[in-house]
Amino acid sequence: MQSRTPATRASGRPRSATADAAILAATRDALVELGWSKLTLGDVATRAGVAKTTLYRRWAGKNELVVDAVAELFDELRLPDCGTLAADIEGVVLQFAAILARPEAKSGLMAVVAESVRDDALRERIRASIVDRQKRLVLEGRARAQARGELPPADPEETARTVDLIFDMVAGTVVHRTLVSARPADEVWVRGFTRLLLQGLTATT
């Protein structure tokens, strides 16, 4: 099923950040209580205390709404400054795993990824709203490690070439571990994963 044309904001009335936050929070609550299949925009509107038309002015449908609700969770990720690249990576990976363990993140992400298999527009929204936004963590971590002297300087072209690869390695491994294999990404596992990742980074830089 293809997504409808993305909703456009009506001219005149400004968009309310408070309403947006309430809608996204209500979406996550509904995911936990009802699950993906039973979640409706009408239920979300009732929970958020807004008119259903308010949702349709902002989102084209349920798929897009859930993507944005899940994306807001991943926006909470912060790269800690723990003094070393290894410790920084371990810190952010543990945060990521903790978010994936939340019922609203788990059910929402798995559902929209499954839907995106047959919906190109939805796949692009996931990429733009979740994947591309979180690549900032790779750039920040690499720049910090270079400033410490842990990694050598790299030209912009080389940096751009490897950011996608590094992000895919981290995100793909943690998602597979927690959501596909349903195994814990605890401190022991994260430490071992980080050690292997750093071996690859130092070998290619």
Side-chain angles (χ1 to χ4, degrees):
M1 180 171 60
Q2 296 296 313
S3 295
R4 291 179 291 146
T5 302
T8 56
R9 194 170 72 188
S11 60
R13 179 180 300 176
R15 183 160 172 166
S16 167
T18 301
D20 284 358
I23 291 166
L24 296 177
T27 301
R28 292 189 292 269
D29 289 344
L31 279 169
V32 174
E33 184 176 331
L34 303 175
W36 166 264
S37 62
K38 295 182 180 179
L39 184 149
T40 66
L41 266 64
D43 181 75
V44 170
T46 299
R47 290 168 183 262
V50 301
K52 189 175 178 180
T53 53
T54 301
L55 271 71
Y56 279 114
R57 283 199 298 269
R58 290 161 164 77
W59 291 277
K62 182 168 92 169
N63 291 349
E64 294 79 8
L65 175 60
V66 172
V67 168
D68 285 2
V70 173
E72 191 172 61
L73 294 177
F74 293 122
D75 284 341
E76 297 174 6
L77 286 169
R78 296 292 182 270
L79 186 69
D81 190 351
C82 300
T84 67
L85 178 58
D88 290 354
I89 293 173
E90 289 175 15
V92 78
V93 169
L94 286 169
Q95 288 178 54
F96 183 38
I99 289 173
L100 289 174
R102 294 166 65 169
E104 63 270 36
K106 183 186 305 183
S107 59
L109 184 61
M110 294 290 274
V112 293
V113 168
E115 289 292 318
S116 73
V117 171
R118 55 182 183 272
D119 188 333
D120 292 340
L122 179 59
R123 188 181 305 119
E124 180 56 37
R125 191 180 187 97
I126 293 171
R127 183 182 300 114
S129 298
I130 299 177
V131 176
D132 289 346
R133 289 216 302 246
Q134 300 314 319
K135 286 179 183 176
R136 62 184 170 82
L137 298 166
V138 178
L139 291 167
E140 183 181 347
R142 183 167 188 160
R144 187 183 292 168
Q146 288 170 341
R148 291 177 181 142
E150 294 175 283
L151 293 176
D155 62 76
E157 184 176 339
E158 172 66 14
T159 297
R161 185 181 69 82
T162 58
V163 163
D164 286 351
L165 179 59
I166 295 169
F167 181 86
D168 289 348
M169 290 173 62
V170 175
T173 302
V174 179
V175 167
H176 188 277
R177 173 75 177 183
T178 57
L179 300 188
V180 180
S181 297
R183 302 290 298 279
D186 55 21
E187 291 185 6
V188 174
W189 181 87
V190 170
R191 192 174 303 118
F193 166 67
T194 300
R195 184 169 59 250
L196 289 175
L197 179 65
L198 287 177
Q199 288 175 3
L201 282 175
T202 54
T204 57
T205 55

